[in-house]
Amino acid sequence: MAEARSGPTVGQIVLGMRLRDLRERAGCSFADAARALSVNTTTVRRMEKAEVGLKPLYVKALLERYGVPDEEIESFLALVEEANRPGWWHRFRDVLPDWFSLYVSLESEASVIRAYEPHCVPGLLQTEDYARVLLRTGFPGASEEEIDRRVALRMQRQELLTRPRAPLLWAVVEEHVLRRRVGDPQVMRDQIDRLVEASALPNVTLQVMPFRAGPHPGMFGPFQLFRFEIPELPDIVYTESLTGAVYLDDARDTAAYREVLDRMSAQAARVQDTGAILGEIRKEL
């Protein structure tokens, strides 16, 4: 049986989709594919959904069954080897829940990240001190060493915003997020300064949803939408709860979230007003 593990890498997700397409083109059922591996159909289904790791011997047997030429098999297996390499975030597996591991992988590979945040500053834009206060609150029984690890993970995630070919981050944040006291006033001043600095980056767009805007279509909770340059990978929406998360990739679901984001962006304060809003809030701290 293929080996289970924590959240998949984006590469494993894409290769799973390619295996599914190759099986369907070859006219093979799940049962046909399973017989080629001497496993049950569940294993094949889980490989295609990237719910288990991709064993090269299994992949090779499937590709041969699907009639893939030898030279293409070798290229595919090289991609499997690359996709199976643990991402940098695997160093933080001691503090990274399995359900969030996939999030970090998607975030690392996305070309566009759109987000709505009604509770706190988005993780990619938090200062270290702000993040530390939040994490201490969210994990009250955690040791200082564990909190340090969680903060370090969050800070390393932020490096993607300044890397070559950095993704576009477009976030809508509620005004009360910026006014809610997290830590002492200096923590909040530094956090506002960080948002001003980040807003100046060419790939970061930050909008504030002011109190006066009233009700809007995103009031059900925070979420992120990831878009990719990889043709096989559809848009993926992430929503989270206290104990887990949901990843949506059905076209109807993601279209609904895109529409909500577009309507919210039109209702929020203009992008060019973000600096002035942040400046006014900072004066009050």
Side-chain angles (χ1 to χ4, degrees), residues 41-233:
T41 58
T42 300
T43 298
V44 178
R45 292 177 187 272
R46 297 188 72 195
M47 289 176 65
E48 291 183 0
K49 293 181 178 180
E51 293 176 351
V52 293
L54 294 175
K55 290 186 174 182
L57 289 178
Y58 277 13
V59 173
K60 183 177 181 181
L62 287 177
L63 296 177
E64 290 173 345
R65 175 64 181 83
Y66 302 155
V68 176
D70 289 344
E71 60 273 16
E72 293 184 24
I73 290 177
E74 290 305 313
S75 297
F76 199 106
L77 292 177
L79 293 175
V80 169
E81 182 178 354
E82 181 179 347
N84 283 343
R85 291 194 187 105
W88 63 263
W89 55 90
H90 282 252
R91 302 198 316 272
F92 294 93
R93 289 184 65 180
D94 55 321
V95 295
L96 185 63
D98 289 350
W99 54 265
F100 196 66
S101 178
L102 175 56
Y103 179 98
V104 180
S105 180
L106 295 173
E107 182 181 72
S108 298
E109 295 294 334
S111 58
V112 177
I113 304 169
R114 297 188 67 182
Y116 166 60
E117 183 50 72
H119 301 315
C120 59
V121 171
L124 290 177
L125 301 177
Q126 293 175 9
T127 66
E128 184 172 335
D129 289 340
Y130 182 97
R132 189 176 300 278
V133 174
L134 287 182
L135 290 167
R136 280 178 180 152
T137 303
F139 300 92
S143 66
E144 280 304 302
E145 181 180 1
E146 180 180 335
I147 295 299
D148 287 344
R149 293 278 291 160
R150 293 183 183 278
V151 171
L153 169 62
R154 190 160 299 185
M155 294 301 103
Q156 188 159 348
R157 284 171 49 208
Q158 296 181 4
E159 294 178 8
L160 67 85
L161 291 178
T162 53
R163 74 186 184 192
R165 296 178 59 84
L168 168 66
L169 172 64
W170 184 357
V172 177
V173 176
E174 292 283 357
E175 181 180 348
H176 63 250
V177 165
L178 307 174
R179 296 186 180 278
R180 174 178 287 133
R181 184 68 59 83
V182 175
D184 60 40
Q186 189 58 49
V187 171
M188 289 306 300
R189 292 188 196 102
D190 291 343
Q191 180 59 73
I192 296 297
D193 290 343
R194 165 63 178 146
L195 292 176
V196 172
E197 175 187 304
S199 298
L201 294 173
N203 58 311
V204 175
T205 299
L206 179 65
Q207 287 184 273
V208 178
M209 184 68 75
F211 293 134
R212 65 177 182 275
H216 60 77
M219 293 176 65
F220 47 83
F223 62 92
Q224 288 79 36
L225 184 147
F226 299 105
R227 174 162 288 178
F228 308 88
E229 293 181 346
I230 304 168
E232 297 94 334
L233 207 55

